[in-house]
């Protein structure tokens, strides 16, 4: 299910085509199982960084992406390894120095410590990045993570949209030592993988799939439709306020007779509006607005956590078995 791409790259220079062809697939014999949560995390990471770069007017990210190219993101993948089977459950982001291209060790160690408290059975299996192909600098990051895992895996997500491609744009690489031009070099080799899901992930993926527009993406999404409705309402309100303003101006100039009953209605409407010119009103309004948003977010998180806990309890009760094979998955739940 991996996307086709050049599977080999050297640490200091691109390998010769013959070497790349010889190392097209891994010979380690490992079986990789990838969970959808990892793909969602990497995609979300890339989307956020790309949106932030677009808002700041800077097309390059901390990873040193070229101008006009989407920014690259980096992170670690975590999971468990049982014998020859490697199962990737989750991921977290990494901080990369934009000048030297080195990893922030303090941030990585802190993340490892936090994940160990929640998922004690999970270990750092490797790292991830985005791009259409392996870069020369990727081997430097790969070697830097070898003190955490002596044989890390590299997950590459291609964010470019290819409508003709049926497989997932995800490739998993391992590193192997090959003799190239008479000298040993560490290169990337592509490995096969399968998608492994648990019940909670299947429900989440199904929910996300139903949010996609039914006509293939040409129609506005639910959020766009909601914002369009708000825009139309504001536009209508603005046009009606303009009509009232023009009427009052014409009445003041004497173009139309004075209607005291209508003036009383306009005066009553204007008095309902708050005195928005006051600085105290602005401060109080922003404070109350922020408090309301915070309470809304907390209520949403609490509701989601409660729903998820109930779902996990039901799934654990339904799929509870003697602990051997399902040990790692139980820790994930």
């Amino acid at each position: 299910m991996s996307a086709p791409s050049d599977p080999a790259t050297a640490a200091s220079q691109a390998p010769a085509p013959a070497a790349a062809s010889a190392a097209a697939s891994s010979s380690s014999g490992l079986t990789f199982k990838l969970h959808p949560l990892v793909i969602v995390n990497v995609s979300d990471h890339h989307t956020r960084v790309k949106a932030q770069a677009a808002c700041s007017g800077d097309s390059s990210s901390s990873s040193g992406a070229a101008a006009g190219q989407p920014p690259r993101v980096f992170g670690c993948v975590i999971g468990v390894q049982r014998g020859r089977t490697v199962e990737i459950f989750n991921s977290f982001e990494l901080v990369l120095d934009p000048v030297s291209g080195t990893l922030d060790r303090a941030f990585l160690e802190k993340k490892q410590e936090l994940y160990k408290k929640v998922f004690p059975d999970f270990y750092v299996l490797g790292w991830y990045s985005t791009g259409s192909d392996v870069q020369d600098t990727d081997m430097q990051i790969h070697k830097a993570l070898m003190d955490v895992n002596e044989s890390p895996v590299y997950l590459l997500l291609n964010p470019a949209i290819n409508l003709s491609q049926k497989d997932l744009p995800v490739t998993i690489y391992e590193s192997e030592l090959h003799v190239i031009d008479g000298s040993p070099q560490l290169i990337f080799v592509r490995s096969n993988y399968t998608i492994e899901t648990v019940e909670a992930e299947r429900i989440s993926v199904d929910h996300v799939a139903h949010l996609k527009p039914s006509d293939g993406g040409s129609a506005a999404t639910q959020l766009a439709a909601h914002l369009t409705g708000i825009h139309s309402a504001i536009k209508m309100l603005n046009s009606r306020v303009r009509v009232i303003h023009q009427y009052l101006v014409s009445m003041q100039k004497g173009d139309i007779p004075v209607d005291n009953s209508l003036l009383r209605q306009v005066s009553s409407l204007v008095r309902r509006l708050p005195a928005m010119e006051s600085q105290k009103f602005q401060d109080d309004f922003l404070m109350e607005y922020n408090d309301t948003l915070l309470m809304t977010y907390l209520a949403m998180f609490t509701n989601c956590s409660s729903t998820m806990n109930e779902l996990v309890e039901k799934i654990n009760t339904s799929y509870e078995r003697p602990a051997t094979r399902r040990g790692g998955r139980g820790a994930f739940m």
Side-chain angles (χ1 to χ4, degrees), residues 85-155:
T85 302
V86 179
E87 195 164 0
I88 306 175
F89 281 101
N90 207 338
S91 65
F92 60 85
E93 302 173 13
L94 287 177
V95 177
L96 192 69
D97 188 275
V99 179
S100 61
T102 57
L103 297 175
D104 188 338
R105 285 288 175 178
F107 181 83
L108 174 58
E109 293 173 358
K110 183 64 176 178
K111 279 286 189 179
Q112 281 185 274
E113 180 183 351
L114 293 176
Y115 269 87
K116 272 294 181 183
K117 293 180 180 179
V118 182
F119 306 114
D121 296 332
F122 286 5
Y123 296 91
V124 173
L125 300 176
W127 63 293
Y128 71 79
S129 181
T130 55
S132 59
D133 204 350
V134 175
Q135 304 293 326
D136 293 341
T137 55
D138 291 348
M139 185 56 72
Q140 301 175 5
I141 305 174
H142 195 79
K143 291 180 178 180
L145 287 172
M146 285 186 173
D147 58 347
V148 180
N149 189 315
E150 62 181 10
S151 183
V153 299
Y154 176 25
L155 186 146

Side-chain angles (χ1 to χ4, degrees), residues 209-229:
H210 280 80
L211 295 178
K212 186 179 68 173
S214 58
D215 58 353
S218 59
T221 60
Q222 295 181 2
L223 178 60
H226 176 66
L227 294 178
T228 302

Side-chain angles (χ1 to χ4, degrees), residues 313-331:
E313 290 177 1
K314 293 178 181 178
I315 293 174
N316 287 338
T317 302
S318 302
Y319 290 85
E320 187 175 8
R321 295 178 180 177
T324 50
R325 182 63 179 165
R326 301 290 291 260
R329 194 171 299 178

Side-chain angles (χ1 to χ4, degrees), residues 33-46:
K33 296 182 179 180
L34 181 64
H35 284 254
L37 180 61
V38 181
I39 304 176
V40 173
N41 287 345
V42 179
S43 177
D44 174 71
H45 187 189
H46 169 78

Side-chain angles (χ1 to χ4, degrees), residues 13-280:
Q13 62 179 8
S21 176
S25 60
S26 172
S27 59
S28 64
L30 293 177
T31 301
F32 290 93
K33 296 182 179 180
L34 181 64
H35 284 254
L37 180 61
V38 181
I39 304 176
V40 173
N41 287 345
V42 179
S43 177
D44 174 71
H45 187 189
H46 169 78
T47 303
R48 284 186 287 105
V49 173
K50 183 178 179 180
Q52 292 170 3
C55 292
S56 63
D58 182 10
S59 61
S60 61
S61 67
S62 61
S63 59
Q69 297 295 327
R72 299 190 70 196
V73 297
F74 300 90
C76 276
V77 292
I78 59 175
V80 296
Q81 180 174 357
R82 306 181 188 91
R84 309 300 294 174
T85 302
V86 179
E87 195 164 0
I88 306 175
F89 281 101
N90 207 338
S91 65
F92 60 85
E93 302 173 13
L94 287 177
V95 177
L96 192 69
D97 188 275
V99 179
S100 61
T102 57
L103 297 175
D104 188 338
R105 285 288 175 178
F107 181 83
L108 174 58
E109 293 173 358
K110 183 64 176 178
K111 279 286 189 179
Q112 281 185 274
E113 180 183 351
L114 293 176
Y115 269 87
K116 272 294 181 183
K117 293 180 180 179
V118 182
F119 306 114
D121 296 332
F122 286 5
Y123 296 91
V124 173
L125 300 176
W127 63 293
Y128 71 79
S129 181
T130 55
S132 59
D133 204 350
V134 175
Q135 304 293 326
D136 293 341
T137 55
D138 291 348
M139 185 56 72
Q140 301 175 5
I141 305 174
H142 195 79
K143 291 180 178 180
L145 287 172
M146 285 186 173
D147 58 347
V148 180
N149 189 315
E150 62 181 10
S151 183
V153 299
Y154 176 25
L155 186 146
L156 182 65
L157 172 69
N158 185 3
I161 299 177
N162 186 359
L163 299 179
S164 62
Q165 182 178 338
K166 301 300 181 181
D167 297 334
L168 290 174
V170 177
T171 310
I172 293 181
Y173 294 96
E174 296 179 77
S175 58
E176 291 183 355
L177 195 64
H178 285 233
V179 177
I180 301 176
D181 296 333
S183 61
Q185 294 184 13
L186 197 65
I187 64 174
F188 288 114
V189 291
R190 190 167 53 208
S191 299
N192 295 325
Y193 66 91
T194 58
I195 298 296
E196 186 80 7
T197 61
V198 294
E199 187 67 24
E201 289 176 320
R202 285 194 288 269
I203 294 174
S204 301
V205 172
D206 182 69
H207 177 71
V208 173
H210 280 80
L211 295 178
K212 186 179 68 173
S214 58
D215 58 353
S218 59
T221 60
Q222 295 181 2
L223 178 60
H226 176 66
L227 294 178
T228 302
I230 294 178
H231 178 266
S232 301
I234 295 176
K235 186 177 180 180
M236 182 178 295
L237 176 62
N238 181 58
S239 63
R240 294 183 178 182
V241 170
R242 286 178 179 272
V243 170
I244 296 176
H245 178 262
Q246 293 175 359
Y247 179 82
L248 294 177
V249 170
S250 300
M251 187 180 295
Q252 186 179 19
K253 292 180 179 180
D255 297 339
I256 56 177
V258 177
D259 188 340
N260 293 323
S261 175
L262 184 58
L263 288 177
R264 285 193 294 270
Q265 294 181 20
V266 173
S267 176
S268 175
L269 178 63
V270 171
R271 288 176 182 176
R272 296 179 183 178
L273 301 176
M276 291 183 289
E277 297 295 332
S278 171
Q279 182 63 34
K280 184 177 184 303

